[in-house]
Amino acid sequence: MFRVMPIVGVRPQFIKAAPLLRLLDEDDEVELQLVHSGQHYDYEMSKLFFKELGLPDPVENLGVGSGSHAEQTAHILLRVEKVIEKYKPDVVVVFGDANTTLAGALAAVKLHTPVAHVEAGLRSWDMKMPEEVNRVLTDHCSQVLYAPTETAVRNLRREGIPDSKISLSGDTMYDLLLKHMTDIEKSDILKRLSLDGEDYVLMTVHRAENVDVPERLSNIISAVLKLDRLKLVFPIHPRTKNRLKEYKLMKKIKEAKHIIPTDPLGYFDVLKLIKHAKTILTDSGGMQKEALILKTPCITMRDRTEWIETVTLGGNFLVDADEKRILHAAQRVIENPEIKDRLKATPNPYGDGRASEKIIKDLKSRWCSGILDGSTNKF
Ligand code: UD1
């Protein structure tokens, strides 16, 4: 049996891992040893996704919860080490760029257990972002790197990672979206929010660089308070909720008639909202891609993006946390429906919807041919 230990812990990882987990779970040659770090623990941030996406139960939940970066990373490291020693996986699979990703990879590599990184090679070239630190370090201690795009492959080569370790897989988030198109359409979220037939904007914000800096979060909120020609749906991430209360901005949001604040929503609901929105305002990485795939213009409240294809293909506008630029971009997109029409003709840079199958096939063939061997230290 091929023992595979995927490690997940935050909301976007449940989504990135979902199609892979399902295939691994059904595979008779695989012993699936799913581990949940517990970095995200609220029902709406974790359990909801396991339920909605039909994910298998983890063999262990490490219950690390919240904390500073050092605390969170260290707690995951300590606990993952014990779990790897107990289950002795042939490979540990980590996803994306969260603290769970880095800690899982570090614990494994130090025990000479091979690490596969799904969504490798993404770069924002900004080491102030905790996610960038996690990505770079994880890529450099992984034995197999599954890059979602050509750009990601180029980034890895630029950093001297040998071709033998890199595999262009496509993006597992695209696999998931394709599989669930019908479920997404079936979501009744528009009705639940009384938005049927109405034009609206969808907004999310959660990155530390935006929500932990009072001035930046105030600029963003100031902009959306002025964007009152359309309804604005705002599912609020727990980190953001804490900061909005701390900076005394929550009251303004609740008082604004055009803003619909909600708890974090499930996958089908959010995707339905993205699909039918005039535009989305976000700092999420995943939503930039999902908007491009669903042909909805995206306005990203960051000064750069690691998902560069979304910009070069004309679907994403970078405006930073700058009130004037947010307002200007939103008005331009809302008043120019041809932007949305133009997006209908853009190619999809995220593969053919079979990234998860390719990853499993590649992992198995490396394992069978003995290349996946941490003890040889050929990292
Ligand atoms: C993490 C990831 C980020 C990813 C994001 C998706 C890191 C460094 N960041 O950021 O890459 O895009 O997840 O959501 O790993 N909280 C709750 N309930 C929860 C989860 C969090 O209340 O279920 C609160 C806690 O107060 C916590 C704060 O949110 O301190 C931040 O959570 P944390 O896991 O540190 O990072 P995210 O901001 O979610």
Side-chain angles (χ1 to χ4, degrees), residues 248-307:
K248 315 237 175 312
L249 293 166
M250 193 59 110
K251 197 163 167 262
K252 291 189 183 172
I253 289 167
K254 287 196 171 147
E255 281 169 6
K257 289 206 173 62
H258 67 293
I259 299 182
I260 309 173
T262 73
D263 286 331
L265 296 168
Y267 179 74
F268 303 147
D269 288 345
V270 168
L271 273 283
K272 172 106 176 198
L273 283 167
I274 297 176
K275 183 157 189 237
H276 294 275
K278 272 271 174 198
T279 182
I280 69 164
L281 277 176
T282 193
D283 62 2
S284 149
M287 283 174 64
Q288 294 173 50
K289 284 186 284 179
E290 288 160 341
L292 187 78
I293 297 166
L294 294 170
K295 317 291 181 199
T296 297
C298 177
I299 298 168
T300 297
M301 298 179 290
R302 292 174 52 196
D303 65 352
R304 60 187 81 202
T305 179
E306 47 288 339
W307 298 105

Side-chain angles (χ1 to χ4, degrees), residues 203-347:
M203 140 140 160
T204 72
V205 56
H206 77 274
R207 292 217 179 257
E209 75 205 59
N210 278 337
V211 303
D212 291 357
V213 182
E215 199 197 333
R216 289 177 68 88
L217 190 57
S218 296
N219 288 346
I220 292 170
I221 299 304
S222 227
V224 297
L225 287 173
K226 288 185 185 144
L227 214 64
D228 58 1
R229 278 176 43 208
L230 297 183
K231 289 265 163 48
L232 185 133
V233 184
F234 182 18
I236 308 181
H237 186 285
R239 172 190 282 275
T240 312
K241 191 174 175 185
N242 294 341
R243 298 295 176 264
L244 287 169
K245 284 185 186 155
E246 199 179 317
Y247 309 154
K248 315 237 175 312
L249 293 166
M250 193 59 110
K251 197 163 167 262
K252 291 189 183 172
I253 289 167
K254 287 196 171 147
E255 281 169 6
K257 289 206 173 62
H258 67 293
I259 299 182
I260 309 173
T262 73
D263 286 331
L265 296 168
Y267 179 74
F268 303 147
D269 288 345
V270 168
L271 273 283
K272 172 106 176 198
L273 283 167
I274 297 176
K275 183 157 189 237
H276 294 275
K278 272 271 174 198
T279 182
I280 69 164
L281 277 176
T282 193
D283 62 2
S284 149
M287 283 174 64
Q288 294 173 50
K289 284 186 284 179
E290 288 160 341
L292 187 78
I293 297 166
L294 294 170
K295 317 291 181 199
T296 297
C298 177
I299 298 168
T300 297
M301 298 179 290
R302 292 174 52 196
D303 65 352
R304 60 187 81 202
T305 179
E306 47 288 339
W307 298 105
I308 196 67
E309 295 81 5
T310 57
V311 177
T312 51
L313 290 170
N316 192 5
F317 307 92
L318 300 179
V319 295
D320 209 353
D322 179 317
E323 183 182 333
K324 278 204 189 113
R325 287 174 65 193
I326 296 171
L327 282 170
H328 178 75
Q331 264 148 15
R332 196 159 68 96
V333 171
I334 290 164
E335 283 161 15
N336 290 288
E338 61 275 13
I339 298 180
K340 198 162 178 157
D341 293 339
R342 205 182 56 220
L343 281 179
K344 292 192 181 126
T346 52

